[in-house]
């Protein structure tokens, strides 16, 4: 299969590979499940794919290999993987006894964790993160957190999303402590990796400025190229080849993620949200939102009313 298979969520990936999708409901933007429920025959080799979601893999007892772009990492007990959207990957399982996978998209983070989540957790923008083997004490702490998240995800609490959001903050802080305390993004990656990371940071900053009213018009692809003093065709080719998504697709995903957050604020009208996101007319925004989500802004707002 080609290197350009982009999957929007985990159920889509599992469906592509003929795996059961029952344990992985992604309707909230978050999935939590134990891989030993899904993978029962070994060895198992995945299709090559590019996910459009973040993931944490907590390997208490499993063996295999994980390929990200041109890097291959061994999977062994006590390992924690963090990966973000866009990178080409393949996973190979030799055995799985106890492994938890959490996946989530950007909209979920912004709706349930914090709308400015990248401020405290800038590592979420990092392109390739080497897995870490944690000490027994460290793994015990993160295990308690992911087990709590799993239990809440399966439960029916009226505060389910808020509880999971709080637990996700604790989990992200522990990942930051164990993985990134000494992390310096200046030294990470090659030239292409740096271009991708700078583009993601520029995209995030621009949307912060849009939402806060500091600017009124969305940046174009050309503008993002100008910010890095690159030819637009070169930036486009780097982003597409490294992430599997075009710049316009990144902009669309970001627009929809921010719109979903604002639509949950009842004090903002649809027109105000449209203006904040750089749309000249509210109907244009409504059509754009429906094209990318299959729901109108009004329908989405009703569905997510507190």
């Amino acid at each position: 299969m080609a290197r350009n298979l982009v999957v929007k969520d985990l159920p889509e990936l599992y469906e592509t590979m003929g795996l059961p999708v029952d344990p992985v409901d992604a309707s909230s933007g978050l999935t939590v499940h134990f891989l030993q429920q899904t993978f029962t025959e070994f060895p198992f080799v995945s299709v090559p794919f590019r996910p459009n979601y973040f993931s944490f893999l907590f390997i208490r007892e499993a063996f295999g290999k994980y390929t990200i772009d041109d890097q291959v990492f061994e999977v062994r007990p006590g390992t924690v993987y963090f990966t973000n959207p866009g990178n080409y990957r393949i996973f190979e399982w030799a055995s799985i006894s106890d492994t938890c996978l959490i996946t989530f998209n950007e909209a979920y983070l912004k709706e349930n964790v914090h709308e400015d989540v990248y401020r405290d957790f800038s590592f979420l923008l990092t392109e390739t993160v080497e897995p870490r083997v944690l000490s027994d004490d460290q793994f015990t702490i993160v295990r308690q957190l992911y087990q709590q998240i799993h239990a809440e995800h399966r439960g029916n609490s009226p505060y389910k999303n808020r509880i999971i959001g709080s637990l996700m903050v604790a989990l992200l802080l522990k990942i930051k402590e164990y993985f990134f305390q000494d992390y310096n993004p200046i030294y990470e990656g090659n030239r292409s990796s740096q271009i991708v990371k700078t583009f993601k940071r520029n995209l995030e900053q621009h949307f912060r400025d849009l939402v806060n009213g500091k600017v009124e018009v969305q940046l174009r692809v050309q503008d993002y190229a100008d910010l890095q003093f690159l030819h637009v065709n070169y930036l486009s080719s780097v982003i597409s080849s490294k992430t599997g998504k075009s710049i316009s697709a990144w902009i669309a995903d970001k627009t929809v993620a921010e719109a979903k957050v604002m639509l949950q604020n009842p004090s903002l009208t649809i027109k105000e949200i449209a203006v904040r996101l750089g749309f000249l007319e509210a109907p244009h925004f409504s059509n754009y939102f429906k094209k990318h989500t299959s729901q109108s802004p009004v329908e989405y707002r009703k569905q997510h009313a507190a």
Side-chain angles (χ1 to χ4, degrees):
M1 190 167 294
R3 289 174 68 103
N4 60 356
L5 170 66
V6 178
V7 291
K8 74 175 187 297
D9 54 29
L10 195 63
E12 185 176 314
L13 176 65
Y14 279 9
E15 198 171 324
T16 300
M17 298 192 295
L19 293 168
V21 297
D22 294 347
V24 287
D25 176 15
S27 57
S28 68
L30 174 89
T31 73
V32 191
H33 79 300
F34 286 87
L35 295 190
Q36 60 267 28
Q37 298 173 339
T38 300
F39 297 90
T40 54
E41 294 183 11
F42 303 99
F44 185 94
V45 181
S46 76
V47 297
F49 68 102
R50 294 177 185 271
N52 203 12
Y53 50 83
F54 298 89
S55 58
F56 283 121
L57 192 60
F58 301 99
I59 298 152
R60 189 164 180 239
E61 186 69 37
F63 295 90
K65 284 196 298 189
Y66 212 97
T67 301
I68 300 178
D69 288 339
D70 55 355
Q71 301 181 65
V72 180
F73 301 109
E74 290 296 321
V75 171
R76 58 186 190 274
T79 308
V80 175
Y81 271 87
F82 162 70
T83 58
N84 67 15
N87 297 84
Y88 166 82
R89 66 196 65 178
I90 301 172
F91 55 81
E92 304 174 42
W93 293 114
S95 68
I96 304 173
S97 301
D98 190 351
T99 293
C100 181
L101 174 65
I102 298 178
T103 71
F104 48 94
N105 58 27
E106 181 177 287
Y108 182 87
L109 279 179
K110 296 204 164 193
E111 289 168 33
N112 298 289
V113 177
H114 194 284
E115 63 183 36
D116 197 7
V117 69
Y118 298 125
R119 184 189 62 202
D120 289 329
F121 304 115
S122 59
F123 66 82
L124 291 168
L125 298 171
T126 305
E127 195 183 345
T128 302
V129 181
E130 289 206 22
R132 294 287 172 95
V133 178
L134 301 185
S135 70
D136 289 345
D137 288 346
Q138 289 174 333
F139 199 91
T140 297
I141 289 169
V142 297
R143 183 173 178 236
Q144 289 168 345
L145 287 167
Y146 71 66
Q147 285 180 323
Q148 276 185 278
I149 292 169
H150 182 252
E152 290 295 337
H153 189 59
R154 288 167 59 88
N156 296 306
S157 167
Y159 311 111
K160 176 175 174 173
N161 285 332
R162 289 175 64 184
I163 293 169
I164 293 174
S166 297
L167 290 167
M168 285 291 288
V169 170
L171 182 62
L172 287 165
L173 285 167
K174 279 298 172 188
I175 295 295
K176 185 176 180 179
E177 178 185 342
Y178 297 156
F179 276 61
F180 295 101
Q181 223 165 2
D182 304 318
Y183 172 69
N184 186 340
I186 293 171
Y187 300 116
E188 184 228 343
N190 57 25
R191 174 65 175 142
S192 293
S193 299
Q194 204 61 48
I195 288 171
V196 171
K197 185 152 64 287
T198 301
F199 164 70
K200 289 181 182 178
R201 288 184 187 281
N202 288 340
L203 183 69
E204 176 63 23
Q205 183 57 53
H206 174 61
F207 272 83
R208 291 267 59 74
D209 291 345
L210 261 181
V211 169
N212 293 325
K214 293 180 181 177
V215 296
E216 296 179 351
V217 180
Q218 280 201 23
L219 292 180
R220 303 161 302 152
V221 176
Q222 180 69 58
D223 298 320
Y224 285 104
D226 291 344
L227 284 170
Q228 296 198 56
F229 305 102
L230 298 172
H231 191 284
V232 65
N233 292 345
Y234 179 65
L235 178 65
S236 296
S237 68
V238 168
I239 299 301
S240 294
S241 64
K242 292 288 286 183
T243 72
K245 276 167 62 178
S246 67
I247 294 174
S248 57
W250 278 102
I251 293 170
D253 285 353
K254 178 68 75 176
T255 304
V256 170
E258 297 293 347
K260 285 180 174 180
V261 174
M262 286 193 282
L263 284 166
Q264 293 187 53
N265 180 351
S267 66
L268 290 173
T269 66
I270 303 293
K271 184 176 180 180
E272 285 172 322
I273 293 170
V275 170
R276 290 251 198 118
L277 289 172
F279 290 88
L280 295 175
E281 301 286 344
H284 182 201
F285 164 67
S286 295
N287 291 336
Y288 185 95
F289 188 86
K290 188 162 188 175
K291 175 186 171 185
H292 290 281
T293 67
S294 302
Q295 284 184 304
S296 71
V298 172
E299 288 167 340
Y300 182 87
R301 173 167 267 175
K302 281 181 184 173
Q303 185 180 333
H304 292 81

